[in-house]
Amino acid sequence: MSRNLNLKDLQQYIAWFEVNRRGRLNAWIMHLRKSLFGLWIKWRVKDSFEQRPEPTDILLIQPSSRSKELARKDYLCAKITAAGIDLSEEVLIKDKTIHSGRFSAPEKGTPLRFYTFAGYAKYLVEQYRPKIVITERYNTVLSFYLKKYLSGTGHLVHIAHAIPTDEKDRFYLNYFDYYFLFGQSSLDKLQNKPVRFGESKACPIGSYLIHESFHLEPSTPNNQVLIMAMGDWPKQNTLIDPLYEVFLLWADKRPDLSFYVKLHPNKNAPFWIDRNNLPSNVKILPKDCNIKQAVSKASVVVNMHTNACIEAAILNRPIVPAIPECFADEFDMARFFVPNCVDVGSLDQAYNKIIQNYAYYVGQAQKFAQYHVANGPQSVPAMVSALKSLLEGQEEMPYEILTHKPPS
């Protein structure tokens, strides 16, 4: 591994990122706001927390209360504790709610802009004294200071919650000791990023969303289609909703088929929820219908722009890509299945092609799944094994080093 980055590297990266994302003026305003807030924290918040009596093996930082309530990492957590590993959880606090019981003053010279999360990172390390800290969502400043305060005593492990996209202002953070990726496709995308902040050991290891029981035998053509809806994207709805209308036109054209709509679990779906005149062969699945239950109903899955295509492929279902023009084919669906379909004719043609060559496209689904998720339904055991090896001072999982690639 190369040198750890220093404060100057962090400042340069944050400045570049904010200017590219917000523009120079808004970036300066954001810098001023965060600096003033850091000054307020420095004056008002003092470290007065009571340290836990015993250190923990692993500290898992949940990105939000909502994320914890969704319980998506509960299975991973259960397997970690079942392996005899002491696990603690902390819900990531928002900077505006930092208080003395969850703060430890960082060293002198910490820039005011970074002061809040620097003190929070120091508190987490001092309070839990973990051998491993697991993060799931990007927070550049928190990652920088967690790694700083863990230096020599523990590891920072980031577990991906999705496959990286090619969006210009996302997935640049790489400042971890270990970066647990879904699979080879994630590694390929990160290697092609024009900028990477930091260096990590990237491990294509799988997804914590995929459990050992996550398996379905290949279906046979059954005249049932599952549509994976995207939910509410206010800025793109004018391009997404017309494609939903195309799906309804397709359903009208094919009364011999039954269509099920799986709503996105984290987003509203006003197009579908407010619709009163759906064709009789279209049914919206209840919110508590999980992905495996939904996929089990169909022999073909229509996917727009969600990770659900990977889960459907792991469950041995071929995919028809139907991607709105405001999004790219981030998952390479067309490479493994059929070209993107945005009208009734292409949807019908793609569906018929898959049904007529069903065994071949089930095989393509399996290749697609292997490319995206390294260990498939064995993802969680692979993660637990890797974490246990790190606790024992070993590195039993394969990895590639993703080097620092600063902005030009």
Side-chain angles (χ1 to χ4, degrees):
M1 300 284 283
S2 68
R3 66 175 177 87
N4 282 333
L5 302 185
N6 58 36
L7 190 56
K8 184 178 179 181
D9 295 316
L10 175 63
Q11 291 172 313
Q12 290 176 340
Y13 169 75
I14 292 290
W16 169 85
F17 181 82
E18 292 290 356
V19 167
N20 275 269
R21 191 175 196 182
R22 305 175 189 275
R24 194 169 299 277
L25 176 60
N26 287 332
W28 182 84
I29 293 172
M30 178 63 67
H31 174 81
L32 181 61
R33 283 179 178 173
K34 288 186 177 290
S35 296
L36 289 173
F37 185 75
L39 181 62
W40 185 87
I41 290 289
K42 189 173 184 178
W43 281 347
R44 297 292 301 273
V45 179
K46 308 300 179 184
D47 46 331
S48 60
F49 64 91
E50 294 184 11
Q51 192 177 61
R52 288 160 48 97
E54 297 293 333
T56 189
D57 291 329
I58 295 177
L59 171 62
L60 169 63
I61 301 178
Q62 297 274 9
S64 66
S65 298
R66 171 63 175 159
S67 178
K68 184 173 175 59
E69 288 167 5
L70 287 172
R72 290 177 174 173
K73 291 180 286 296
D74 281 7
Y75 186 77
L76 171 63
C77 292
K79 289 295 183 181
I80 289 173
T81 55
I85 299 169
D86 182 52
L87 174 71
S88 299
E89 295 183 58
E90 170 93 7
V91 175
L92 179 64
I93 198 168
K94 294 182 179 180
D95 54 2
K96 293 181 180 179
T97 57
I98 291 282
H99 57 79
S100 298
R102 300 176 79 181
F103 186 82
S104 179
E107 67 273 14
K108 292 181 179 179
T110 300
L112 290 174
R113 168 161 190 169
F114 306 144
Y115 198 84
T116 305
F117 276 115
Y120 182 53
K122 189 164 179 274
Y123 154 77
L124 290 173
V125 174
E126 291 179 349
Q127 168 71 303
Y128 292 94
R129 286 155 288 158
K131 297 173 184 175
I132 294 174
V133 173
I134 296 176
T135 58
E136 185 206 359
R137 297 296 168 93
Y138 282 172
N139 184 314
T140 304
V141 177
L142 183 65
S143 292
F144 180 87
Y145 283 99
L146 281 173
K147 193 170 179 182
K148 173 184 174 67
Y149 293 125
L150 282 169
S151 180
T153 63
H155 303 298
L156 178 60
V157 176
H158 186 78
I159 295 183
H161 73 283
I163 288 175
T165 68
D166 296 325
E167 294 168 90
K168 67 177 182 178
D169 61 348
R170 298 189 65 196
F171 299 101
Y172 289 150
L173 181 58
N174 185 45
Y175 199 62
F176 319 109
D177 293 307
Y178 298 90
Y179 195 164
F180 285 9
L181 303 173
F182 275 28
Q184 185 61 43
S185 66
S186 298
L187 184 58
D188 291 346
K189 285 181 177 291
L190 291 176
Q191 287 173 331
N192 289 329
K193 284 286 182 183
V195 174
R196 287 192 299 268
F197 178 72
E199 182 167 303
S200 69
K201 294 179 179 179
C203 314
I205 202 165
S207 167
Y208 64 77
L209 298 169
I210 309 299
H211 306 167
E212 291 97 318
S213 62
F214 201 78
H215 175 75
L216 290 174
E217 291 298 323
S219 178
T220 54
N222 62 6
N223 292 336
Q224 299 190 95
V225 177
L226 175 66
I227 295 171
M228 297 290 191
M230 291 179 61
D232 187 26
W233 293 67
K235 293 182 179 179
Q236 288 89 15
N237 278 349
T238 55
L239 296 172
I240 295 171
D241 288 357
L243 191 49
Y244 288 152
E245 294 286 0
V246 169
F247 295 156
L248 297 182
L249 291 173
W250 184 30
D252 276 331
K253 180 182 177 180
R254 293 296 302 265
D256 57 313
L257 301 181
S258 295
F259 294 84
Y260 297 93
V261 179
K262 175 76 170 74
L263 302 180
H264 194 289
N266 288 350
K267 296 181 182 290
N268 295 320
F271 178 91
W272 298 103
I273 294 172
D274 300 338
R275 194 84 178 201
N276 297 318
N277 58 339
L278 291 174
S280 60
N281 58 338
V282 175
K283 179 181 179 181
I284 298 175
L285 296 173
K287 274 255 183 179
D288 60 357
C289 178
N290 65 41
I291 187 74
K292 183 177 177 181
Q293 292 168 333
V295 169
S296 69
K297 297 178 180 296
S299 54
V300 174
V301 174
V302 176
N303 188 73
M304 300 178 74
H305 185 70
T306 75
N307 277 285
C309 62
I310 299 165
E311 295 164 277
I314 291 172
L315 295 170
N316 288 302
R317 298 302 188 268
I319 310 295
V320 173
I323 308 164
E325 62 181 72
C326 50
F327 297 101
D329 184 2
E330 299 282 3
F331 305 107
D332 294 316
M333 291 182 283
R335 171 179 158 194
F336 287 85
F337 300 106
V338 293
N340 190 39
C341 303
V342 293
D343 57 59
V344 173
S346 60
L347 283 167
D348 212 43
Q349 184 178 12
Y351 173 80
N352 291 334
K353 183 177 182 179
I354 288 174
I355 293 301
Q356 292 164 8
N357 302 274
Y358 196 73
Y360 168 78
Y361 282 104
V362 168
Q364 288 300 102
Q366 293 165 352
K367 292 178 182 178
F368 180 79
Q370 291 165 5
Y371 176 58
H372 286 298
V373 181
N375 289 292
Q378 294 300 311
S379 291
V380 171
M383 285 185 185
V384 174
S385 177
L387 292 168
K388 194 168 184 179
S389 73
L390 291 178
L391 290 171
E392 295 168 351
Q394 307 295 321
E395 287 181 339
E396 295 182 357
M397 63 288 189
Y399 65 82
E400 291 190 32
I401 293 178
L402 281 176
T403 55
H404 177 56
K405 190 189 290 186
S408 56

